[in-house]
Amino acid sequence: MGTLGPNTNARAVHEHGGGGGGGESENEHRLPHGHKHLSAMDQELDAGALFVLKSKGSWMHCGYHLTTSIVAPPLLSLPFAFTFLGWAVGIICLVVGALVTFYSYNLLSLVLEHHAQLGRRHLRFRDMANDILGPRWGRYFVGPIQFMVCYGAVIACTLLGGQCMKAIYLLSEPNGTMKLYEFVIIFGSLMLILAQIPSFHSLRHINLISLFLCLAYSACATAGSIYIGNSSKGPKKDYSLKGDTESQIFGIFNAIAIIATTYGNGIIPEIQATIAPPVKGKMFKALCVCYTVLIVTFFTVAISGYWAFGNNSEGLLLSNFLDDGKPLVPKWFILMTNLFTVLQLSAVGVVYLQPTNEVLERTFADPNSKEFSTRNVIPRVVSRSLSVVISTTVAAMLPFFGDINAVIGAFGFMPLDFILPVVFFNLTFKPSKRSLVFWLNVTIAVVFSALGVIAAVAAVRQIALDAKTYRLFANV
């Protein structure tokens, strides 16, 4: 993911950090490693950092970015995860997921702040890995895994957006002939327009709307579940675990992968990069905003959905609102919930496009030309459009991408969000081996490494079981 040298100590005035007040000291940043050639006149960052990761935002903007990246429509699959876990284990997993991710995201933020105070502000996950673990880790492990996770999320959002649009279409045209891949292409066209938004910081207003959208469809999903659960139309409530012992064991790990993916982020350094310096303490406030929304949405949807549908909960909760094509709640209500979901999916997709955009910008743009010069605009439009066309094509071709995403969750989100933050903290701050923090971090790293491996095996097994039903461009 780019040539990154370990010992570059050049410092640069990060001109685009100007949103946080005056003074050269506030805007001083260290160059991403590997920038050996600096012009004497204006020392600048590479084009990816300069144009995509502008450091101009407040902690509130950061809260919007965090909420959009974590509180996303995959939370509608939480009742399905509960079908493998049951009530007690399901709620324990949700609580543990919230505590561990809040803790590890804060650790990651503290490590980033520490390096920023030393004059080496890291704007990307791979820059952190490069500095703390060494250049090979950044280039061959963290960089590719983050790219896979983020691009996988873009594909998953495009597919899910297509599925929600198809659900809206079938409600109004029960005998309609349009296929799933056509809706995926329509959603991809919306993504094509949004992908041209120049920087992460310029998504702040979209992500504020996205925050309200996730509250809206979570409220709709919860209200719909309670309505159906209390009506005679709902299914008989059965909370027993399905399948034989082997299926139940693998099901538990599959559910853990689903929950880990739901809590997953994978772009904390890139989000923190949007904050105007000084960054100290701002990320904690942003995480508090995000986790307030998260607790309200995740717990209400998971508990009400599983209470209403038991072990009949579908992979996407909204599918339970239909029984053999007949709506169990008013038709307008399903249309509205799906519409909120589609709109937020477009915002989530664009947020996860940012690391890809940053790589494209760094590769094709010229940092010495203006951001909106012809030299930079043409490569930007072409490269971003191409990346969206590829993700839309993959989503249309592989409508079983949900199974693939479970593998990406196990291989990607587990290391990026559960394991690396605690490793980075221990290596940066070197807490005493007798301290609680040291052993808590070691325990988290070991437990989640094991869970990641087992969840990956469970996800691959699920693909093997479902493989016989896979068809390219299937209309599911």
Side-chain angles (χ1 to χ4, degrees):
M1 302 290 288
T3 321
L4 301 162
N7 297 314
T8 315
N9 286 315
R11 298 173 69 152
V13 176
H14 195 169
E15 286 183 347
H16 64 301
E24 193 171 291
S25 62
E26 276 196 355
N27 287 339
E28 209 174 281
H29 286 261
R30 187 185 183 194
L31 274 164
H33 302 283
H35 251 255
K36 296 196 173 64
H37 306 295
L38 291 172
S39 64
M41 301 226 357
D42 71 338
Q43 302 169 308
E44 75 275 341
L45 295 140
D46 64 48
L50 199 58
F51 299 146
V52 179
L53 301 176
K54 293 181 180 179
S55 303
K56 286 184 171 179
S58 67
W59 65 266
M60 204 68 191
H61 298 151
C62 190
Y64 306 155
H65 300 321
L66 281 167
T67 307
T68 300
S69 62
I70 300 174
V71 187
L75 73 88
L76 298 172
S77 60
L78 287 173
F80 175 66
F82 272 41
T83 63
F84 300 108
L85 301 169
W87 274 119
V89 181
I91 290 172
I92 289 168
C93 284
L94 264 194
V95 172
V96 168
L99 292 174
V100 172
T101 50
F102 186 74
Y103 174 71
S104 64
Y105 294 157
N106 271 301
L107 291 191
L108 208 50
S109 169
L110 289 171
V111 173
L112 285 161
E113 283 179 14
H114 174 74
H115 285 287
Q117 284 170 335
L118 296 176
R120 301 196 307 265
R121 186 171 180 190
H122 297 307
L123 302 178
R124 293 168 280 231
F125 220 131
R126 63 178 181 277
D127 292 349
M128 282 185 83
N130 204 55
D131 203 18
I132 298 165
L133 301 174
R136 289 188 176 176
W137 282 90
R139 198 190 309 174
Y140 300 116
F141 180 70
V142 174
I145 279 186
Q146 189 194 30
F147 183 79
M148 177 182 77
V149 163
C150 293
Y151 206 63
V154 174
I155 296 168
C157 286
T158 309
L159 176 60
L160 197 51
Q163 286 171 336
C164 290
M165 289 169 95
K166 186 185 170 195
I168 293 172
Y169 170 72
L170 288 178
L171 269 177
S172 43
E173 287 282 333
N175 301 316
T177 55
M178 283 182 76
K179 304 280 191 289
L180 175 63
Y181 69 82
E182 296 173 70
F183 293 103
V184 169
I185 292 165
I186 294 168
F187 187 85
S189 307
L190 170 63
M191 289 288 293
L192 195 63
I193 297 162
L194 292 173
Q196 308 308 330
I197 294 172
S199 69
F200 208 149
H201 176 63
S202 47
L203 295 175
R204 62 196 180 282
H205 303 304
I206 289 177
N207 288 344
L208 171 61
I209 296 166
S210 156
L211 187 151
F212 288 113
L213 286 170
C214 71
L215 287 170
Y217 66 69
S218 299
C220 290
T222 305
S225 298
I226 293 169
Y227 174 82
I228 294 167
N230 281 325
S231 75
S232 55
K233 292 184 275 187
K236 194 166 78 63
K237 296 180 180 66
D238 179 7
Y239 304 115
S240 61
L241 301 179
K242 288 180 177 175
D244 57 14
T245 312
E246 184 197 347
S247 300
Q248 285 180 8
I249 290 168
F250 276 109
I252 289 168
F253 291 109
N254 216 1
I256 288 170
I258 291 169
I259 291 172
T261 306
T262 311
Y263 276 110
N265 178 287
I267 51 174
I268 291 287
E270 284 79 1
I271 291 176
Q272 189 154 331
T274 65
I275 300 178
V279 291
K280 192 163 178 58
K282 292 180 180 175
M283 195 66 168
F284 177 74
K285 291 193 276 190
L287 279 163
C288 289
V289 170
C290 170
Y291 272 74
T292 304
V293 177
L294 181 147
I295 288 163
V296 169
T297 52
F298 280 30
F299 285 82
T300 52
V301 169
I303 291 167
S304 64
Y306 187 56
W307 169 78
F309 305 107
N311 59 17
N312 292 314
S313 299
E314 300 267 356
L316 192 67
L317 180 61
L318 304 184
S319 309
N320 281 108
F321 290 4
L322 297 168
D323 182 26
D324 287 333
K326 294 187 196 71
L328 299 174
V329 289
K331 200 181 274 190
W332 62 265
F333 186 82
I334 300 180
L335 290 173
M336 181 176 71
T337 312
N338 272 301
L339 184 63
F340 290 151
T341 310
V342 167
L343 290 173
Q344 205 229 355
L345 276 165
S346 62
V348 177
V350 175
V351 164
Y352 279 103
L353 262 180
Q354 296 311 306
T356 310
N357 288 349
E358 184 273 317
V359 171
L360 294 171
E361 203 85 3
R362 201 183 74 224
T363 310
F364 299 114
D366 175 13
N368 298 315
S369 303
K370 287 202 167 84
E371 183 180 4
F372 298 109
S373 63
T374 313
R375 160 68 186 84
N376 284 337
V377 168
I378 293 171
R380 181 181 303 136
V381 171
V382 171
S383 61
R384 291 185 184 192
S385 301
L386 199 59
S387 88
V388 172
V389 167
I390 293 167
S391 65
T392 306
T393 307
V394 173
M397 276 175 63
L398 311 176
F400 44 84
F401 192 77
D403 284 357
I404 299 169
N405 229 25
V407 179
I408 291 175
F411 279 120
F413 284 122
M414 285 286 196
L416 291 179
D417 294 326
F418 294 87
I419 301 161
L420 283 175
V422 293
V423 172
F424 283 174
F425 184 88
N426 278 6
L427 290 174
T428 302
F429 292 103
K430 300 184 173 55
S432 158
K433 290 187 180 167
R434 292 187 186 149
S435 67
L436 177 66
V437 169
F438 178 84
W439 287 107
L440 176 63
N441 290 351
V442 168
T443 307
I444 289 173
V446 170
V447 168
F448 283 94
S449 297
L451 282 178
V453 171
I454 300 165
V457 171
V460 170
R461 173 183 175 269
Q462 195 60 43
I463 287 180
L465 291 177
D466 293 346
K468 54 183 171 293
T469 62
Y470 292 166
R471 287 195 330 281
L472 291 182
F473 296 103
N475 185 35
V476 290

Coordinates of all heavy atoms in Angstrom, one line a residue, residues 72-74 77 147-164 180 184 187-188 191 261 316 341-342 344-346 348-350 352-353 387-388 390-396 398-409 413:
A72 N -24.8 1.5 11.5 CA -25.2 1.3 10.1 C -26.3 0.2 10.0 O -26.5 -0.6 10.9 CB -24.0 1.0 9.2
P73 N -26.9 0.0 8.8 CA -27.9 -1.0 8.6 C -27.6 -2.4 9.0 O -28.5 -3.2 9.3 CB -28.3 -0.9 7.2 CG -28.1 0.6 6.9 CD -26.9 1.0 7.6
P74 N -26.3 -2.8 9.0 CA -26.0 -4.2 9.6 C -26.5 -4.4 11.0 O -26.7 -5.6 11.4 CB -24.5 -4.3 9.5 CG -24.1 -3.4 8.4 CD -25.1 -2.2 8.4
S77 N -29.3 -6.9 11.5 CA -29.1 -8.4 11.6 C -28.8 -8.8 13.0 O -28.5 -10.0 13.2 CB -27.9 -8.7 10.6 OG -26.7 -8.1 11.0
F147 N -7.9 -2.0 3.5 CA -8.5 -1.8 2.2 C -9.6 -2.9 1.9 O -10.6 -2.5 1.4 CB -7.3 -1.9 1.1 CG -7.8 -1.7 -0.3 CD1 -8.0 -0.4 -0.8 CD2 -8.1 -2.7 -1.2 CE1 -8.5 -0.1 -2.0 CE2 -8.6 -2.5 -2.4 CZ -8.8 -1.2 -2.9
M148 N -9.3 -4.1 2.3 CA -10.3 -5.2 2.0 C -11.5 -4.9 2.8 O -12.7 -5.1 2.3 CB -9.6 -6.5 2.5 CG -10.5 -7.7 2.4 SD -9.7 -9.2 3.0 CE -9.8 -9.0 4.7
V149 N -11.4 -4.5 4.1 CA -12.5 -4.3 5.0 C -13.4 -3.1 4.4 O -14.6 -3.2 4.3 CB -12.1 -4.0 6.4 CG1 -13.2 -3.3 7.2 CG2 -11.6 -5.2 7.1
C150 N -12.7 -2.0 4.1 CA -13.4 -0.8 3.6 C -14.1 -1.0 2.3 O -15.3 -0.7 2.1 CB -12.5 0.4 3.6 SG -11.9 0.8 5.2
Y151 N -13.4 -1.7 1.4 CA -14.0 -1.9 0.0 C -15.1 -3.0 0.1 O -16.1 -2.9 -0.5 CB -12.9 -2.3 -1.0 CG -13.2 -2.0 -2.4 CD1 -13.4 -0.7 -2.8 CD2 -13.4 -3.0 -3.3 CE1 -13.8 -0.3 -4.1 CE2 -13.8 -2.7 -4.7 CZ -13.9 -1.3 -5.0 OH -14.3 -1.0 -6.3
G152 N -14.9 -3.9 1.0 CA -15.9 -4.9 1.3 C -17.2 -4.3 1.8 O -18.3 -4.6 1.4
A153 N -17.0 -3.3 2.7 CA -18.1 -2.6 3.2 C -18.9 -1.8 2.2 O -20.1 -1.7 2.2 CB -17.7 -1.6 4.3
V154 N -18.1 -1.2 1.2 CA -18.8 -0.5 0.1 C -19.6 -1.4 -0.7 O -20.8 -1.1 -1.1 CB -17.7 0.2 -0.8 CG1 -18.3 0.9 -2.0 CG2 -16.9 1.3 0.0
I155 N -19.1 -2.6 -1.1 CA -19.8 -3.6 -1.8 C -21.0 -4.0 -1.1 O -22.1 -4.1 -1.6 CB -18.9 -4.8 -2.2 CG1 -17.7 -4.4 -3.1 CG2 -19.7 -5.9 -2.9 CD1 -16.6 -5.4 -3.2
A156 N -20.9 -4.3 0.2 CA -22.0 -4.8 1.0 C -23.1 -3.7 1.1 O -24.3 -4.0 1.0 CB -21.5 -5.1 2.5
C157 N -22.7 -2.4 1.2 CA -23.7 -1.3 1.3 C -24.5 -1.3 0.0 O -25.7 -1.1 -0.1 CB -23.0 0.0 1.5 SG -22.5 0.2 3.2
T158 N -23.7 -1.4 -1.2 CA -24.4 -1.4 -2.5 C -25.4 -2.5 -2.7 O -26.5 -2.3 -3.1 CB -23.3 -1.4 -3.6 OG1 -22.3 -0.5 -3.3 CG2 -23.8 -1.1 -5.0
L159 N -25.0 -3.7 -2.2 CA -25.9 -4.9 -2.3 C -27.1 -4.7 -1.5 O -28.2 -4.9 -1.9 CB -25.1 -6.1 -1.9 CG -25.9 -7.4 -1.9 CD1 -26.5 -7.7 -3.3 CD2 -25.0 -8.6 -1.4
L160 N -26.9 -4.3 -0.2 CA -28.0 -4.1 0.7 C -28.9 -3.0 0.3 O -30.2 -3.1 0.4 CB -27.4 -3.8 2.1 CG -28.3 -3.9 3.3 CD1 -29.0 -5.3 3.3 CD2 -27.6 -3.8 4.6
G161 N -28.3 -1.9 -0.3 CA -29.2 -0.8 -0.9 C -30.0 -1.3 -2.0 O -31.2 -1.0 -2.1
G162 N -29.5 -2.2 -2.9 CA -30.2 -2.8 -4.0 C -31.4 -3.7 -3.4 O -32.5 -3.6 -3.9
Q163 N -31.1 -4.5 -2.4 CA -32.1 -5.3 -1.8 C -33.2 -4.6 -1.2 O -34.4 -4.9 -1.3 CB -31.4 -6.3 -0.7 CG -30.6 -7.3 -1.4 CD -29.8 -8.1 -0.4 OE1 -29.5 -7.6 0.7 NE2 -29.3 -9.3 -0.7
C164 N -32.9 -3.4 -0.5 CA -34.0 -2.6 0.1 C -34.8 -1.9 -1.0 O -36.0 -1.8 -0.8 CB -33.4 -1.5 1.0 SG -32.7 -2.2 2.5
L180 N -32.8 -8.1 -9.1 CA -32.0 -7.5 -8.0 C -30.9 -6.7 -8.6 O -30.6 -5.6 -8.2 CB -31.5 -8.6 -7.1 CG -30.5 -8.1 -6.0 CD1 -31.2 -7.1 -5.0 CD2 -30.0 -9.3 -5.2
V184 N -29.3 -2.9 -7.8 CA -27.9 -2.7 -7.4 C -27.3 -1.6 -8.2 O -26.6 -0.7 -7.8 CB -27.1 -4.0 -7.4 CG1 -25.7 -3.8 -7.2 CG2 -27.7 -5.0 -6.3
F187 N -28.6 1.8 -7.3 CA -28.0 2.3 -6.1 C -26.5 2.7 -6.4 O -26.1 3.7 -5.8 CB -28.1 1.2 -5.0 CG -27.6 1.7 -3.7 CD1 -28.4 2.4 -2.8 CD2 -26.3 1.5 -3.3 CE1 -28.0 2.8 -1.6 CE2 -25.8 2.0 -2.0 CZ -26.7 2.7 -1.2
G188 N -25.9 1.9 -7.2 CA -24.5 2.2 -7.6 C -24.4 3.6 -8.3 O -23.4 4.3 -8.1
M191 N -24.3 6.2 -5.7 CA -22.9 6.1 -5.1 C -21.9 6.8 -6.0 O -21.0 7.5 -5.5 CB -22.5 4.7 -4.8 CG -23.2 4.0 -3.7 SD -22.7 4.6 -2.1 CE -21.0 4.0 -2.1
T261 N -18.6 -7.5 13.3 CA -18.7 -6.7 12.1 C -19.7 -5.5 12.3 O -19.4 -4.4 11.8 CB -19.3 -7.5 11.0 OG1 -18.4 -8.7 10.8 CG2 -19.2 -6.8 9.6
L316 N -32.0 -10.0 7.8 CA -32.3 -8.6 7.9 C -33.7 -8.4 8.5 O -34.6 -9.0 7.9 CB -32.3 -8.0 6.4 CG -32.3 -6.4 6.4 CD1 -31.0 -5.8 6.9 CD2 -32.5 -6.0 4.9
T341 N -33.4 3.4 5.4 CA -32.3 2.5 5.3 C -31.4 2.7 4.1 O -30.2 2.8 4.1 CB -32.7 1.0 5.4 OG1 -33.7 0.9 6.5 CG2 -31.6 0.1 5.6
V342 N -32.1 2.9 2.9 CA -31.4 3.1 1.6 C -30.6 4.4 1.7 O -29.4 4.4 1.3 CB -32.4 3.1 0.5 CG1 -31.7 3.7 -0.8 CG2 -33.0 1.7 0.2
Q344 N -29.5 6.0 4.4 CA -28.3 5.9 5.2 C -27.2 5.0 4.6 O -26.0 5.3 4.8 CB -28.6 5.5 6.6 CG -27.6 6.0 7.6 CD -27.0 5.0 8.6 OE1 -27.5 3.8 8.6 NE2 -26.1 5.4 9.4
L345 N -27.6 4.0 3.9 CA -26.6 3.1 3.3 C -25.7 3.9 2.3 O -24.5 3.6 2.2 CB -27.3 2.0 2.5 CG -27.7 0.8 3.4 CD1 -28.7 -0.1 2.6 CD2 -26.5 -0.1 3.8
S346 N -26.3 4.9 1.6 CA -25.5 5.6 0.7 C -24.4 6.4 1.4 O -23.3 6.5 1.0 CB -26.3 6.5 -0.2 OG -27.0 7.5 0.7
V348 N -23.1 5.6 4.4 CA -22.1 4.7 5.0 C -21.2 4.2 3.9 O -19.9 4.2 4.1 CB -22.9 3.4 5.6 CG1 -21.9 2.4 6.1 CG2 -23.8 3.8 6.7
G349 N -21.7 4.0 2.7 CA -20.9 3.5 1.6 C -19.8 4.6 1.2 O -18.6 4.3 1.0
V350 N -20.2 5.9 1.3 CA -19.3 7.0 0.9 C -18.2 7.1 2.0 O -17.0 7.4 1.7 CB -20.0 8.3 0.7 CG1 -19.1 9.4 0.4 CG2 -21.0 8.2 -0.5
Y352 N -16.9 4.7 3.8 CA -16.0 3.6 3.6 C -15.2 3.7 2.3 O -14.3 2.9 2.1 CB -16.7 2.2 3.8 CG -16.8 1.9 5.3 CD1 -18.0 2.0 6.0 CD2 -15.7 1.5 6.0 CE1 -18.1 1.8 7.3 CE2 -15.8 1.2 7.4 CZ -17.0 1.4 8.0 OH -17.1 1.1 9.4
L353 N -15.7 4.6 1.4 CA -14.9 4.8 0.2 C -13.7 5.7 0.5 O -12.7 5.7 -0.3 CB -15.8 5.5 -0.8 CG -16.4 4.7 -1.9 CD1 -17.2 5.6 -2.8 CD2 -15.4 3.9 -2.7
S387 N -13.7 3.0 -9.4 CA -13.8 2.2 -8.1 C -15.2 1.9 -7.8 O -15.5 0.8 -7.3 CB -13.0 2.8 -7.0 OG -13.8 3.7 -6.3
V388 N -16.1 2.8 -8.0 CA -17.5 2.6 -7.7 C -18.1 1.6 -8.7 O -18.9 0.7 -8.4 CB -18.3 3.9 -7.7 CG1 -19.8 3.7 -7.6 CG2 -17.9 4.8 -6.6
I390 N -16.6 -0.8 -10.2 CA -16.1 -2.2 -9.9 C -16.9 -2.7 -8.7 O -17.4 -3.8 -8.7 CB -14.6 -2.1 -9.6 CG1 -13.8 -1.8 -10.8 CG2 -14.1 -3.5 -9.0 CD1 -12.3 -1.5 -10.6
S391 N -17.1 -1.9 -7.6 CA -17.8 -2.3 -6.4 C -19.3 -2.7 -6.8 O -19.8 -3.7 -6.3 CB -17.7 -1.3 -5.3 OG -18.4 -0.1 -5.6
T392 N -19.9 -1.9 -7.6 CA -21.3 -2.1 -8.0 C -21.4 -3.4 -8.8 O -22.3 -4.2 -8.6 CB -21.8 -0.9 -8.9 OG1 -21.6 0.3 -8.1 CG2 -23.3 -1.1 -9.2
T393 N -20.4 -3.6 -9.7 CA -20.4 -4.9 -10.5 C -20.3 -6.1 -9.7 O -21.0 -7.1 -9.8 CB -19.2 -4.8 -11.6 OG1 -19.3 -3.6 -12.3 CG2 -19.3 -6.0 -12.5
V394 N -19.4 -6.0 -8.7 CA -19.2 -7.2 -7.7 C -20.5 -7.4 -7.0 O -20.9 -8.6 -6.8 CB -18.0 -6.9 -6.8 CG1 -17.9 -8.0 -5.7 CG2 -16.7 -6.8 -7.6
A395 N -21.1 -6.3 -6.5 CA -22.3 -6.5 -5.7 C -23.4 -7.1 -6.5 O -24.2 -8.0 -6.1 CB -22.8 -5.1 -5.2
A396 N -23.5 -6.7 -7.8 CA -24.6 -7.3 -8.7 C -24.3 -8.7 -9.0 O -25.2 -9.6 -9.1 CB -24.7 -6.4 -10.0
L398 N -22.4 -10.9 -7.2 CA -22.4 -11.8 -6.0 C -23.4 -11.4 -5.0 O -23.1 -10.8 -4.0 CB -21.0 -11.7 -5.4 CG -19.8 -11.9 -6.3 CD1 -18.5 -11.7 -5.5 CD2 -19.8 -13.2 -7.0
P399 N -24.7 -11.7 -5.2 CA -25.7 -11.3 -4.3 C -25.6 -12.1 -2.9 O -26.4 -11.8 -2.0 CB -27.0 -11.6 -5.0 CG -26.7 -12.6 -6.1 CD -25.3 -12.3 -6.4
F400 N -24.7 -13.1 -2.9 CA -24.5 -13.8 -1.6 C -23.3 -13.2 -0.9 O -22.6 -13.9 -0.1 CB -24.2 -15.3 -1.9 CG -23.3 -15.5 -3.1 CD1 -21.9 -15.5 -2.9 CD2 -23.7 -15.7 -4.4 CE1 -21.0 -15.7 -4.0 CE2 -22.9 -15.9 -5.5 CZ -21.5 -15.8 -5.2
F401 N -23.0 -11.9 -1.1 CA -21.9 -11.3 -0.6 C -21.9 -11.2 1.0 O -20.9 -11.1 1.6 CB -21.7 -9.9 -1.1 CG -20.4 -9.2 -0.8 CD1 -19.3 -9.6 -1.6 CD2 -20.3 -8.3 0.2 CE1 -18.0 -9.1 -1.3 CE2 -19.0 -7.7 0.5 CZ -17.9 -8.1 -0.3
G402 N -23.1 -11.4 1.5 CA -23.2 -11.4 3.0 C -22.4 -12.5 3.6 O -21.7 -12.2 4.7
D403 N -22.3 -13.6 3.0 CA -21.5 -14.7 3.5 C -20.0 -14.4 3.4 O -19.2 -14.7 4.3 CB -21.7 -16.0 2.7 CG -23.0 -16.7 3.1 OD1 -23.7 -16.2 4.0 OD2 -23.4 -17.7 2.5
I404 N -19.6 -13.7 2.3 CA -18.2 -13.3 2.1 C -17.9 -12.2 3.2 O -16.8 -12.2 3.7 CB -18.0 -12.8 0.7 CG1 -18.3 -13.9 -0.3 CG2 -16.6 -12.2 0.5 CD1 -18.4 -13.4 -1.8
N405 N -18.9 -11.4 3.5 CA -18.6 -10.3 4.4 C -18.4 -10.8 5.8 O -17.6 -10.2 6.6 CB -19.8 -9.3 4.4 CG -19.4 -7.9 4.3 OD1 -18.3 -7.6 3.8 ND2 -20.1 -7.0 4.9
A406 N -18.9 -12.0 6.2 CA -18.7 -12.6 7.5 C -17.2 -12.9 7.6 O -16.6 -12.8 8.6 CB -19.5 -13.8 7.7
V407 N -16.6 -13.4 6.5 CA -15.2 -13.8 6.4 C -14.4 -12.5 6.6 O -13.4 -12.4 7.3 CB -14.8 -14.5 5.1 CG1 -13.4 -14.8 5.1 CG2 -15.7 -15.8 5.0
I408 N -14.8 -11.4 5.8 CA -14.0 -10.2 5.9 C -14.1 -9.6 7.3 O -13.1 -9.1 7.9 CB -14.6 -9.1 4.9 CG1 -14.3 -9.6 3.5 CG2 -14.1 -7.7 5.2 CD1 -14.9 -8.7 2.4
G409 N -15.3 -9.8 8.0 CA -15.4 -9.3 9.4 C -14.4 -10.0 10.3 O -13.8 -9.4 11.1
F413 N -12.1 -6.9 10.6 CA -12.5 -6.1 11.8 C -11.9 -6.6 13.1 O -11.6 -5.8 14.0 CB -14.1 -6.0 11.9 CG -14.7 -5.1 10.9 CD1 -15.7 -5.6 10.0 CD2 -14.4 -3.8 10.8 CE1 -16.3 -4.8 9.1 CE2 -15.0 -2.9 9.9 CZ -15.9 -3.4 9.0

